[in-house]
Amino acid sequence: GIPVFNAPGANANAVKELVIAGMLLGARNLCQAWSFVEHLKEDGAALDKAVEAGKKQFVGFELPGRTLGVIGLGAIGVQVANAALALGMRVVGFDPQITVERAWQLSSAVEQARSLDELFSRADFVTVHVPLLDSTRALVNEARIRLMPDKAVVLNFARGEIVDREIDGDHARGVRRVRLLDDLGIDLERGEAEYTGGDEVDRFPDAAGIARL
């Protein structure tokens, strides 16, 4: 027969790296800056001048001292939280069902949020690492986006419909200037819909599980 293994957390490090990359992309507006340069028509000295003139619109911020909110402290969430602390960030976590094993692995410097609303209100970044259940569907919604500071970043490298699909880029920008980074791992059996688009949504292929050791 064909051996079948259940390997929870097997891609935890790969997802952690993707989240860290996403935070850097969101904080430094790298996707937008890259697109800006790609669409310039000049070359040579004129290109250099155009880049220099336009770069100030992509001013971002550094990660140290910023607060990351981690929803779900399983194999992935714990690694993300500990890595963010190593980068000099403050970390707030929320997981009412955290296991004893994961609690031992989690740094004691991670602060506890007593509710999702508290986490969103404290975080410059929010990253979601929970399965898609009735209780987690549209967990990231307009009401919680409103709690976040301007220029905050939401990262969803879990299931698509954990983010309310009404919160597309233009809507999110109208509520708060919040950037959403989301992968395109659309699960058709679960009926996950796609975003309607918008400048404040950066979308990526679902690449977390295809990294090589």
Side-chain angles (χ1 to χ4, degrees):
I2 299 175
V4 177
F5 298 94
N6 178 27
N11 68 341
N13 183 71
V15 178
K16 175 201 74 178
E17 292 179 354
L18 198 60
V19 172
I20 299 299
M23 286 197 294
L24 292 168
L25 289 172
R28 304 302 295 272
N29 299 310
L30 296 179
C31 293
Q32 297 71 33
W34 188 323
S35 178
F36 167 74
V37 173
E38 275 194 324
H39 289 89
L40 290 175
K41 305 301 183 184
E42 297 86 352
D43 55 20
L47 176 61
D48 292 341
K49 185 175 181 179
V51 170
E52 188 67 22
K55 68 181 184 182
K56 290 183 179 180
Q57 63 186 298
F58 306 110
V59 173
F61 54 87
E62 296 182 2
L63 297 184
R66 301 286 175 166
T67 299
L68 170 66
V70 182
I71 301 173
L73 293 166
I76 297 171
V78 166
Q79 287 203 28
V80 169
N82 291 343
L85 287 170
L87 291 172
M89 302 181 74
R90 295 182 59 191
V91 180
V92 180
F94 179 82
D95 190 340
Q97 298 179 330
I98 186 173
T99 66
V100 173
E101 178 185 5
R102 298 305 178 198
W104 275 109
Q105 296 169 349
L106 185 66
S107 171
S108 60
V110 175
E111 302 172 31
Q112 179 187 8
R114 300 189 180 277
S115 68
L116 285 170
D117 286 355
E118 178 190 343
L119 182 144
F120 275 86
S121 66
R122 295 175 61 182
D124 301 295
F125 298 84
V126 169
T127 182
V128 184
H129 303 288
V130 295
L132 179 61
L133 307 170
D134 288 342
S135 59
T136 61
R137 190 180 300 274
L139 181 152
V140 179
N141 54 38
E142 178 180 338
R144 290 185 173 129
I145 289 288
R146 287 184 180 276
L147 298 173
M148 302 186 76
D150 287 345
K151 299 185 179 179
V153 178
V154 175
L155 303 108
N156 176 31
F157 295 115
R159 294 293 184 180
E161 287 194 350
I162 289 170
V163 176
D164 186 348
R165 291 320 203 187
E166 294 299 318
I167 304 294
D168 64 18
D170 293 330
H171 191 195
R173 184 173 55 230
V175 176
R176 287 268 185 179
R177 291 204 67 251
V178 172
R179 178 162 297 283
L180 171 64
L181 287 92
D182 182 71
D183 71 30
L184 289 176
I186 305 301
D187 188 332
L188 298 179
E189 289 187 7
R190 292 176 179 264
E192 293 185 4
E194 294 191 39
Y195 288 110
T196 56
D199 292 339
E200 299 300 313
V201 177
D202 297 314
R203 305 166 73 192
F204 304 90
D206 184 8
I210 60 173
R212 294 177 178 172
L213 295 175

